Amino acid sequence: MRNKDTTPGAGSAELAVISAKVIEWQRSHGRHQLPWQQDVTPYKVLVSELMLQQTQVATVIPYFNRWMQVFPNAEALAAAAEDEVMRLWQGLGYYARARNLQKAARYIAELGEFPATLDALLQVPGVGRYTAGAIMSFAYQQYGPIVDGNVRRLYCRLFALDGIPNTPALEKQLWAKAELLTPNHQQAHADCRSFAQGLLDLGATVCKPRQPLCELCPLAAHCQALAQNRIASLPNAKPKKTVPVKDGHFLLIRQQQKVLLVKRPGAGIWPALWCLPQPEHAPEDAELAGEFSHQFTHYKLQAKVWIAELTLQNAEQAWVDLSCLDDFGLPAPVRLYLQSILKAG
DNA sequence: GAGGCGTGGCG
DNA sequence: TCGCCAAGCCT
């Protein structure tokens, strides 16, 4: 019996048409948002993809350019001091990425060659399933399925997937679609890079979270959510969780224009960054120097800064002139607070 | 496998 | 002001 696919909108022939349309759209409409996509190297893709995790392109660009000036290759990064790595990453957030990136550079330098298969890339620190696929697609122009926030939204609409976001069940469906839809470099004329870039750009500029531009979408004829008039309700809303408020205390220990900073531990919040000392509780009989608050993804920090005298600090420490803060990697809100002191005189 | 992990932009 | 979102990964 002939193998005939009767599934509406999900046949392998239609999948091939869809991926071809993504590539064609990318070639004619796609933007080259990333200036380093000329002259691609695996190291550049690794650096940019780590920086781009949960971070928008416009934010990453200046960080990437500075990074490549200082650490032009994996060997330079492998040999760098941790403080310099953190200084260049400061302000970008999710600081474990910076530490992972240096671990990755050391791993690759030790390996002697850049990993070039999905399985080998997954062994690299900081590289997960998405990043491995992105490196295969962008750096090697080979088969590399990707599922990120853009692709998630696009596939949920295109295939009318109405699972609950952030659940293994939906993730499994999404990756299954990605593996089917992603072109293979063993096929003739496969343009794996344009497909991956096309997916990301379509998600970012057409299949947007709010007010998607379906009239401009090259996949509109294949979109099940559009056909079912469910564009506005797919993907399903993420279950929302209330973020707790936490109190935090910081010590301002000054000698004229210098403040005492301590290096934070390598795990938890703000790993390996320099920061004002943080006691468990507010010191007794201390004068309040100031306050600030900071909104994290998972909680809100209400911080009080207390004027204090020099005491023994159980951490690496440094006296830092307020005019030299750029020499250290600091948490963004702490940097803001210290800059306000400098401004006030 | 659920939760921790930053920061900035935008409606 | 507030909530959502962003080229996710690790434990």
Side-chain angles (χ1 to χ4, degrees):
Chain A
M1 182 175 174
R2 180 177 292 268
N3 184 10
K4 188 176 179 182
D5 193 331
T6 56
T7 309
S12 63
E14 179 164 19
L15 292 181
V17 171
I18 290 172
S19 56
K21 286 186 175 178
V22 171
I23 292 170
E24 181 187 352
W25 178 88
Q26 171 62 22
R27 288 176 168 169
S28 54
H29 297 78
R31 305 177 305 181
H32 294 278
Q33 284 196 85
L34 309 181
W36 58 90
Q37 284 181 347
Q38 333 297 330
D39 186 31
V40 184
T41 69
Y43 174 72
K44 285 187 191 175
V45 176
L46 174 71
V47 172
S48 60
E49 289 301 334
L50 268 284
M51 288 185 170
L52 284 163
Q53 287 171 8
Q54 299 287 276
T55 308
Q56 303 194 104
V57 172
T59 303
V60 162
I61 287 176
Y63 282 88
F64 179 86
N65 290 330
R66 282 195 295 269
W67 192 275
M68 293 307 299
Q69 291 289 320
V70 181
F71 307 126
N73 50 52
E75 291 72 24
L77 179 54
E82 180 188 58
D83 278 343
E84 179 71 349
V85 171
M86 301 314 291
R87 187 180 73 83
L88 284 180
W89 200 277
Q90 73 97 18
L92 202 50
Y94 283 142
Y95 297 94
R97 295 181 295 170
R99 296 158 61 73
N100 281 336
L101 185 48
Q102 187 175 37
K103 285 183 199 164
R106 290 175 172 165
Y107 175 85
I108 291 164
E110 179 74 17
L111 206 59
E113 60 183 1
F114 211 101
T117 66
L118 282 171
D119 284 340
L121 284 164
L122 286 171
Q123 304 305 310
V124 178
V127 175
R129 203 170 173 183
Y130 163 81
T131 304
I135 294 175
M136 290 304 291
S137 300
F138 293 132
Y140 297 120
Q141 183 70 294
Q142 290 187 18
Y143 177 74
I146 55 172
V147 175
D148 78 320
N150 294 300
V151 178
R152 223 165 251 126
R153 183 172 58 251
L154 192 153
Y155 285 175
C156 279
R157 287 171 174 161
L158 183 58
F159 303 112
L161 305 179
D162 53 6
I164 302 171
N166 303 323
T167 58
L170 181 55
E171 288 300 297
K172 188 176 176 183
Q173 293 184 64
L174 289 165
W175 279 101
K177 292 297 185 188
E179 291 179 346
L180 286 175
L181 207 49
T182 301
N184 193 304
H185 55 279
Q186 292 171 354
Q187 301 160 353
H189 310 301
D191 187 349
C192 302
R193 182 181 304 159
S194 292
F195 177 75
Q197 191 63 54
L199 275 187
L200 298 177
D201 284 357
L202 262 181
T205 66
V206 177
C207 198
K208 301 184 296 180
R210 287 168 295 212
Q211 301 179 347
L213 307 175
C214 299
E215 65 279 6
L216 298 180
C217 182
L219 307 182
H222 307 271
C223 184
Q224 297 184 30
L226 187 60
Q228 300 171 17
N229 196 24
R230 292 208 285 162
I231 282 291
S233 61
L234 288 176
N236 282 325
K238 298 173 184 172
K240 53 176 115 179
K241 26 197 160 179
T242 58
V243 298
V245 178
K246 293 188 180 183
D247 292 322
H249 300 283
F250 297 79
L251 299 181
L252 185 62
I253 304 172
R254 289 187 69 168
Q255 288 188 356
Q256 285 81 44
Q257 282 304 102
K258 292 182 185 300
V259 296
L260 187 74
L261 299 183
V262 297
K263 189 167 176 176
R264 293 188 52 79
I269 195 76
W270 298 328
L273 291 183
W274 290 82
C275 190
L276 293 172
Q278 288 181 264
E280 276 289 323
H281 307 284
E284 294 183 18
D285 302 326
E287 180 185 346
L288 191 63
E291 298 181 70
F292 63 85
S293 72
H294 187 69
Q295 185 75 51
F296 293 98
T297 304
H298 46 306
Y299 64 92
K300 179 171 184 174
L301 174 67
Q302 290 282 3
K304 287 183 165 64
V305 186
W306 304 95
I307 294 174
E309 299 299 319
L310 179 59
T311 55
L312 185 63
Q313 298 297 327
N314 188 21
E316 192 181 350
Q317 64 183 59
W319 286 100
V320 179
D321 196 286
L322 285 173
S323 62
C324 299
L325 294 177
D326 286 347
D327 295 342
F328 291 79
L330 305 182
V334 175
R335 172 176 301 279
L336 266 181
Y337 173 75
L338 290 174
Q339 282 172 344
S340 75
I341 291 183
L342 180 61
K343 204 170 183 179

